Amino acid sequence: MAEVVFDEASRIYTPGATPAVDKLSLTVNDGELVVLVGPSGSGKSTALRMLAGLEPIDAGHLRIDGRDVVDVASKDRDIAMVFQSYALYPSKTVRDNMAFPLKMRGMDKAEQAKRVNEAAEILGLTEYLDRKPKALSGGQRQRVAMGRAIVREPRVFLMDEPLSNLDAKMRVQTRAQIAGLQNRLDVTTVYVTHDQVEAMTMGDRVAVLRDGKLQQYATPSELYDRPVNAFVAGFIGSPAMNLMDLQRSGDGVTLGGSTLPLTREVADAAGSADTVTVGLRPEDLSLTSEGDGIKAVVDVVEELGSESYLYAHMAEHPDTTLVVRGPGRTRVRYGETIAVRVDPDAVHAFDASSGERLAS
Amino acid sequence: MAITTERGSTTTSSAPVDDGPRRTSRTGPVLLTTLTWILGIGFFFPVLWMVLTAFKTEGDAQSSPPTFVFTPTFEQFRTVFDAGIGPYLANSLGATVISTLLVLLLAIPAAFALSMRPVEKTQDVLFFFISTKMLPVVAAIVPIYVVVNDIGLLDNIWTLIVLYTAMNLPIAVWMMRSFFLEVPSELLEAATMDGASLARTLREVVLPIISPGIFATGLICVIFSWNEFFFAVNLTSANAGTMPTFLVQFVTSQGLYFAQLSAAATLAALPVIIAGWVAQNKLVQGLSFGAVK
């Protein structure tokens, strides 16, 4: 039970160079699951390790329940971490792995056994308690790593890409398990991933980082509906949002020979700029009948069963490419020309130079 | 460190026989296999010959051409035991076991520190360690002799123990460090977060993982100190003499007693072979972690 506050916390590896984490400020509420997401090198793992006490905090503050932990040793912060590699102790059995943090805290044997058994029960590990990690599957090892964290009953859980060593199916299963477990235990959790799908599905709130700087900290739906800049817009959503630099023409922008209207606020915010970065999600584009719509030539068809994604380029501007969501079992084939309709309410617009969102 | 590759080349050469079309490419493996066997036998033959000679009479041992067919006898071993092998064996055991334990006791924490907390001068420290092995021992024997003589420790087993510890320490630090570097840093971080002290982490988490490395290092130290001759022959005589100095007794001015020498050498090699065999069982467990993925 804890609230975690990053207050302009920075990590600077070499003085003068770009900080790995640059004045990060965000608050994780009690019981909340917050996901730090970003491409590699965005500082998300460093931020987590700062909270874990494995990296020093070079500037700013980091508070857990109001207490500044900048100078508090890792073991005294009352936090538990699940590592990407699981970091299980190979010479110890599952039972001893899970009991290790309790033993280190001098807890009496009976209480240790009770907690380990409870955790094993929750995680379905009871029958594996006497095995060594190398006799377990990847998913089981992952659960042991979870178990070692939950026996502690820590104030904060930290998870560093805990699913990245699992195969696709296990990942989806375990994703749901972790989210369920977190709900049930109601422990404040900070979760790091580079996978935006994990971030969207698991996080109560998601912090998008890039080059050590926080880009946007919001609920998944807000990130999706109102990305604050072109980077977040392109990062969140799969397939990624179509981002195009388009010429202004009157009240709108020119796209494939037709004009895409912009709202009054966007047009005002764009001011006198010649171009605007327009973002269109594949799901906000639809196929329409011949005649109206933007003409595009299909390069690749990805058939997913319930839906399909058409990768296409503009008939008149081959350099401009688009991803369009089509119906399942589409009859569109490679090389065909399609007509694409844009939902005018779903147009995202960003400043072409700064990438910042224009108006609403 | 490659530890268990001894039989690697012969295993790879037993290539699958079933794929016909690739037959032409099989002359390579066959050649390699033959070469491996020739080299293997070349290395092993002197040892085999020593053991065989140990069971011969002095007459059979001196015969030319050498005989493979002879009536085995334990006569030479009896002579060797009568010559008083006991004290030498005890000295060798003492010097080897105690110095090896001391080396491990000192090298493990040193290597742990050098691998886990590298500082600016870590490379220099490592070079300093290994540089002590660059001076020929002969160049150091006179000052060592003088010092040992002055403190009255000539012909004392503790002199050898100290010297053997010093002699093996640099190699042991280097070897142990390479094993420590294999331990994933996330394991240490996990132990830190679980609340384990550094000593506790070393004992409970790291050492069990690198135990094959400890055995490998220990074995090297055992072999080096068991076979050490130069210090032993210069600094000891009747009281603290070790097995190598005992062997020299059979190379006398009256002639070379091949069979006796072989019997003594076989006895001298036996403990090392046993140590090697025991350690190998530990070594083949390998550095397989199971901690990472």
Side-chain angles (χ1 to χ4, degrees), chain A residues 84-101:
Chain A
Q84 182 172 5
S85 68
Y86 314 143
L88 302 180
Y89 309 123
S91 56
K92 295 181 187 300
T93 60
V94 170
R95 187 191 308 279
D96 291 344
N97 259 286
M98 283 166 51
F100 189 72

Side-chain angles (χ1 to χ4, degrees), chain B residues 273-290:
Chain B
I273 291 169
I274 293 170
W277 186 78
V278 169
Q280 198 191 355
N281 282 351
K282 295 286 178 185
L283 297 183
V284 289
Q285 292 169 1
L287 288 164
S288 63
F289 291 132

Side-chain angles (χ1 to χ4, degrees), chain A residues 49 52 54 74-75 79-81 83-92 100-101 103-105 133-134 141 148 152 158 160 165, chain B residues 184-197 200-201 203-209 285-286 288-293:
Chain A
R49 292 168 57 83
L54 299 171
S74 185
K75 67 182 168 68
I79 47 187
M81 180 150 162
F83 290 85
Q84 182 172 5
S85 68
Y86 314 143
L88 302 180
Y89 309 123
S91 56
K92 295 181 187 300
F100 189 72
K103 190 172 139 192
M104 289 303 113
R105 276 166 178 72
K134 68 176 168 211
R141 285 179 201 175
R148 192 173 60 186
R152 292 256 308 270
L158 309 181
D160 188 4
N165 284 346
Chain B
S185 58
E186 285 201 338
L187 268 183
L188 300 168
E189 291 172 353
T192 306
M193 294 198 67
D194 281 346
S197 65
R200 203 89 193 243
T201 306
R203 206 169 67 236
E204 290 217 30
V205 177
V206 180
L207 289 190
I209 298 174
Q285 292 169 1
S288 63
F289 291 132
V292 191
K293 197 172 176 208

Side-chain angles (χ1 to χ4, degrees), chain B residues 73-268:
Chain B
T73 166
F74 284 99
E75 188 195 322
Q76 310 309 337
F77 288 100
R78 211 166 298 127
T79 319
V80 170
F81 278 109
D82 288 346
I85 192 177
Y88 293 96
L89 201 58
N91 284 335
S92 267
L93 273 176
T96 301
V97 170
I98 298 174
S99 74
T100 300
L101 289 178
L102 278 174
V103 165
L104 292 177
L105 209 65
L106 295 170
I108 288 173
F112 185 56
L114 286 169
S115 58
M116 297 307 151
R117 299 278 172 88
V119 291
E120 209 181 323
K121 300 289 179 201
T122 293
Q123 291 301 326
D124 298 350
V125 170
L126 285 168
F127 182 77
F128 166 71
F129 277 132
I130 211 72
S131 69
T132 60
K133 302 296 292 179
M134 293 174 188
L135 183 76
V137 191
V138 191
I141 190 67
V142 173
I144 288 177
Y145 187 92
V146 172
V147 170
V148 171
N149 189 29
D150 279 358
I151 56 176
L153 281 178
L154 275 179
D155 203 14
N156 187 318
I157 192 66
W158 286 100
T159 305
L160 290 187
I161 289 171
V162 169
L163 286 174
Y164 290 175
T165 305
M167 167 181 91
N168 285 332
L169 199 51
I171 295 168
V173 169
W174 271 65
M175 277 183 76
M176 289 309 303
R177 180 171 173 271
S178 73
F179 290 112
F180 278 121
L181 289 177
E182 299 277 316
V183 178
S185 58
E186 285 201 338
L187 268 183
L188 300 168
E189 291 172 353
T192 306
M193 294 198 67
D194 281 346
S197 65
L198 207 57
R200 203 89 193 243
T201 306
L202 178 63
R203 206 169 67 236
E204 290 217 30
V205 177
V206 180
L207 289 190
I209 298 174
I210 59 156
S211 64
I214 299 174
F215 277 94
T217 310
L219 181 63
I220 294 279
C221 294
V222 163
I223 291 172
F224 283 177
S225 35
W226 184 268
N227 291 334
E228 203 285 326
F229 178 65
F230 193 71
F231 286 134
V233 83
N234 283 299
L235 302 174
T236 69
S237 58
N239 284 332
T242 57
M243 282 304 284
T245 63
F246 175 71
L247 287 190
V248 192
Q249 292 182 3
F250 297 92
V251 189
T252 67
S253 50
Q254 285 89 45
L256 216 49
Y257 294 98
F258 268 129
Q260 275 180 25
L261 181 61
S262 295
T266 304
L267 287 174

